[in-house]
């Protein structure tokens, strides 16, 4: 700046005029006019409005997510799997109708869409599904019977679609739903249940399990009823009384 003042002095300009011009220029730069201040104020207000809108949108999305999560928590634990299963069955039913309309075999069309790796994986899964491991307890036998009976049930998808249109979301129960006494089964449904029960009774009457008879086994019974009782006692308590029985037979019991 001193060099600029000396240069202007060499040109014959007074130093006071030079200093005053520079001070006025610095003052104008330091103190902007009202137009610039108003522009900056508008910019700040615009940014504030944008932040306010973003905050409002975030609160709205958060509230919606909380409501959806609360709705999901009120549903049964396996509701998503059941819903996906029903939708898949509806899609299969639609594909079967399309194949029947075109005169094609649905099983062949389905196999054409399955890769060899998927087929092998499903075959292994099918072999592992509900294997017969023999009798372990009555609870396991009852579970196998229940799974076998439920696999035989063929759902009425047309009736399901009608109920879905009639009741909407109320068709899918939640923890707050009251279902007792609200469902009235149709006559066809009652007839199907009766026919299934009669079929089970008829099959149970024809069933007779062959029990092996060992001629070399010790005779420790006096009649058939006592033999069955001894067999049950041996099945439940044999591993606990084996040593005592051996000592009695050897004559070394204390």
């Amino acid at each position: 700046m001193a060099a600029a003042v000396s240069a202007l002095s060499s040109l014959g300009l007074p130093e006071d005029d030079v200093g005053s011009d520079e001070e006025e220029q610095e003052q104008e730069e330091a103190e902007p006019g009202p137009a610039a201040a108003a522009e900056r104020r508008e910019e700040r207000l615009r940014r504030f409005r944008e932040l306010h809108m973003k905050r409002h949108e975030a609160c709205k999305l958060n509230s919606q997510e909380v409501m959806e999560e609360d709705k999901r928590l009120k549903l049964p634990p396996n509701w998503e799997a059941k819903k996906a299963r029903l939708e898949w069955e509806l899609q299969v039913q639609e594909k079967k109708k399309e194949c029947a309309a075109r005169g094609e075999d649905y099983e062949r069309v389905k196999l054409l869409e399955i890769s060899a790796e998927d087929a092998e994986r499903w075959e292994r899964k099918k072999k592992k599904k509900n294997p017969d491991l023999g009798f372990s307890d009555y609870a396991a036998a009852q579970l196998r019977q229940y799974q076998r009976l439920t696999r035989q049930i063929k759902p009425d998808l047309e009736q399901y679609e009608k109920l879905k249109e009639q009741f909407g979301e109320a068709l899918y129960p939640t923890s707050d739903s009251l279902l007792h006494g609200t469902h009235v089964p149709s006559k066809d449904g009652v007839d199907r249940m009766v026919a299934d029960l009669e079929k089970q009774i008829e099959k149970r009457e024809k069933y007779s399990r062959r029990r092996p008879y060992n001629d070399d086994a010790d005779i420790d019974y006096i009649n058939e009823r006592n033999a069955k009782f001894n067999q049950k006692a041996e099945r439940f308590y044999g591993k606990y009384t084996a040593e005592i029985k051996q000592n009695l037979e050897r004559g070394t019991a204390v």
Side-chain angles (χ1 to χ4, degrees), residues 111 114-125:
L111 292 175
I114 298 175
S115 64
E117 294 157 355
D118 293 338
E120 290 179 1
R121 187 178 70 252
W122 290 346
E123 190 66 24
R124 290 194 301 268
K125 185 177 180 181

Side-chain angles (χ1 to χ4, degrees), residues 142-156:
Q142 186 179 15
L143 178 60
R144 282 179 52 81
Q145 173 76 355
Y146 170 77
Q147 292 175 348
R148 185 179 63 80
L149 293 176
T150 52
R151 283 199 304 270
Q152 297 176 359
I153 297 175
K154 296 181 180 179
D156 190 354

Side-chain angles (χ1 to χ4, degrees), residues 9-244:
S9 300
S10 64
L11 295 175
L13 295 175
E15 295 180 4
D16 296 337
D17 295 339
V18 175
S20 62
D21 293 339
E22 291 179 353
E23 290 176 358
E24 290 177 0
Q25 186 177 0
E26 291 176 357
Q27 186 176 3
E28 288 178 359
E29 293 177 356
E31 297 179 1
E39 185 178 353
R40 284 202 302 271
R41 182 173 177 275
E42 289 295 330
E43 179 68 18
R44 287 195 298 268
L45 290 175
R46 184 183 64 79
R47 291 175 60 188
F48 178 75
R49 284 193 296 270
E50 290 178 355
L51 291 173
H52 183 72
M53 291 177 63
K54 289 181 180 179
R55 176 178 174 274
H56 179 69
E57 185 70 18
C59 291
K60 184 178 178 181
L61 293 175
N62 189 24
S63 299
Q64 292 178 356
E65 187 64 25
V66 169
M67 293 174 63
E68 291 295 330
E69 184 178 1
D70 183 66
K71 187 177 180 180
R72 288 194 300 269
L73 291 175
K74 290 181 179 179
L75 292 173
N78 58 344
W79 160 240
E80 294 294 336
K82 286 184 178 179
K83 186 176 180 181
R85 177 73 180 179
L86 290 174
E87 291 176 355
W88 176 78
E89 290 178 355
L90 289 175
Q91 292 176 2
V92 170
Q93 195 71 16
E94 292 295 330
K95 288 182 180 179
K96 286 183 178 179
K97 290 181 180 179
E98 293 176 1
C99 292
R102 295 195 301 264
E104 299 175 350
D105 187 4
Y106 170 74
E107 296 297 331
R108 293 178 62 86
V109 174
K110 182 180 72 172
L111 292 175
L112 290 174
E113 299 176 356
I114 298 175
S115 64
E117 294 157 355
D118 293 338
E120 290 179 1
R121 187 178 70 252
W122 290 346
E123 190 66 24
R124 290 194 301 268
K125 185 177 180 181
K126 186 177 180 181
K127 289 181 180 179
K128 294 180 180 178
K129 188 175 182 181
N130 198 19
D132 188 2
L133 302 176
F135 180 81
S136 58
D137 53 20
Y138 289 102
Q142 186 179 15
L143 178 60
R144 282 179 52 81
Q145 173 76 355
Y146 170 77
Q147 292 175 348
R148 185 179 63 80
L149 293 176
T150 52
R151 283 199 304 270
Q152 297 176 359
I153 297 175
K154 296 181 180 179
D156 190 354
L157 299 179
E158 294 181 359
Q159 183 67 17
Y160 169 73
E161 287 294 331
K162 291 180 181 179
L163 293 175
K164 189 176 179 181
E165 294 177 358
Q166 180 179 358
F167 296 102
E169 292 296 330
L171 182 63
Y172 310 113
T174 63
S175 58
D176 299 327
S177 301
L178 183 61
L179 301 177
H180 181 70
T182 59
H183 175 67
V184 179
S186 62
K187 185 178 182 299
D188 295 337
V190 174
D191 293 340
R192 284 197 303 270
M193 182 191 69
V194 172
D196 184 68
L197 291 175
E198 291 178 351
K199 185 178 178 181
Q200 293 181 39
I201 294 171
E202 183 180 358
K203 185 176 180 180
R204 196 178 300 116
E205 289 177 351
K206 293 180 179 179
Y207 178 74
S208 177
R209 185 178 61 181
R210 297 183 62 184
R211 295 172 174 82
Y213 179 76
N214 187 6
D215 294 333
D216 297 332
D218 295 334
I219 299 176
D220 56 354
Y221 53 88
I222 58 176
N223 51 33
E224 191 68 23
R225 183 176 179 181
N226 181 244
K228 291 182 179 179
F229 176 81
N230 292 342
Q231 289 174 1
K232 291 181 181 180
E234 178 67 23
R235 183 165 63 246
F236 289 105
Y237 306 106
K239 59 182 179 180
Y240 306 110
T241 60
E243 185 177 358
I244 300 173

